[in-house]
């Protein structure tokens, strides 16, 4: 899921929520940065409307969301995105605490303005041989 760029009306690239099917019966979303890297990945959803609803909650409350920091056993850092005591997503792994801090800052700055892309019904590889 790399390389999703969204060009907004003012000419700036911004992040995007990308909804996809995890398997036949479950949905998930990722939030990709302005540079196209995955910043965080959601939990799994049985219903697409629950997935869409949680994206709207995250967008509405991004500035006040709690990003609880962790250090993995391999020494890399990550956070869990928590709103109203519910875990909505887990971030990618960061090599340094500084990069972790920048990732968290991006949530507060850009997530509320992100576009939502839904790839659950589209066969994006249909034209390939």
């Amino acid at each position: 899921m790399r390389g999703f760029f969204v060009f907004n009306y003012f000419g700036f690239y911004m992040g995007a929520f990308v909804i996809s099917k995890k398997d036949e019966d479950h949905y998930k979303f990722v939030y990709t940065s302005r540079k196209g890297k995955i910043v965080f990945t959601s939990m799994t959803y049985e219903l697409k409307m629950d997935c869409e609803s949680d994206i709207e909650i995250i967008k509405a409350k991004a500035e006040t969301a709690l990003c609880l920091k962790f250090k993995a056993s391999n020494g890399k850092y990550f956070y869990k995105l928590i709103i109203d005591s519910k875990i909505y997503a887990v971030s990618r792994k960061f090599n340094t605490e500084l990069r972790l801090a920048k990732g968290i800052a991006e949530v507060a700055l850009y997530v509320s303005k992100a576009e939502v892309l839904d790839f659950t019904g589209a066969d994006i590889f249909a034209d390939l041989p």
Side-chain angles (χ1 to χ4, degrees):
M1 286 263 158
R2 292 188 126 180
F4 289 104
F5 291 99
V6 177
F7 196 71
N8 73 9
Y9 301 109
F10 303 107
F12 299 107
Y13 288 105
M14 49 198 273
F17 285 95
V18 180
I19 302 172
S20 61
K21 275 193 172 182
K22 186 171 179 180
D23 53 43
E24 290 301 315
D25 297 324
H26 294 91
Y27 298 89
K28 70 170 188 145
F29 63 83
V30 296
Y31 172 73
T32 60
S33 71
R34 297 173 301 136
K35 295 180 180 180
K37 290 187 177 183
I38 292 174
V39 177
F40 57 74
T41 303
S42 73
M43 305 294 117
T44 302
Y45 298 89
E46 288 187 29
L47 299 174
K48 184 170 138 182
M49 66 183 193
D50 291 338
C51 185
E52 294 167 330
S53 174
D54 280 0
I55 290 172
E56 293 306 315
I57 290 169
I58 292 170
K59 287 176 70 172
K61 297 184 177 187
E63 292 180 17
T64 59
L66 172 64
C67 293
L68 194 56
K69 302 174 192 176
F70 295 90
K71 187 173 183 179
S73 59
N74 64 359
K76 294 189 177 191
Y77 302 91
F78 68 99
Y79 63 88
K80 293 182 180 182
L81 182 69
I82 302 170
I83 300 171
D84 298 329
S85 301
K86 178 182 174 184
I87 297 172
Y88 284 87
V90 177
S91 76
R92 69 179 182 87
K93 304 294 189 283
F94 296 90
N95 291 327
T96 66
E97 287 187 76
L98 178 60
R99 288 189 177 166
L100 173 70
K102 286 182 179 181
I104 291 171
E106 182 164 334
V107 171
L109 291 173
Y110 300 109
V111 166
S112 63
K113 302 173 194 103
E115 298 289 330
V116 178
L117 306 175
D118 184 351
F119 290 134
T120 58
D123 186 1
I124 58 174
F125 300 109
D127 294 337
L128 296 176

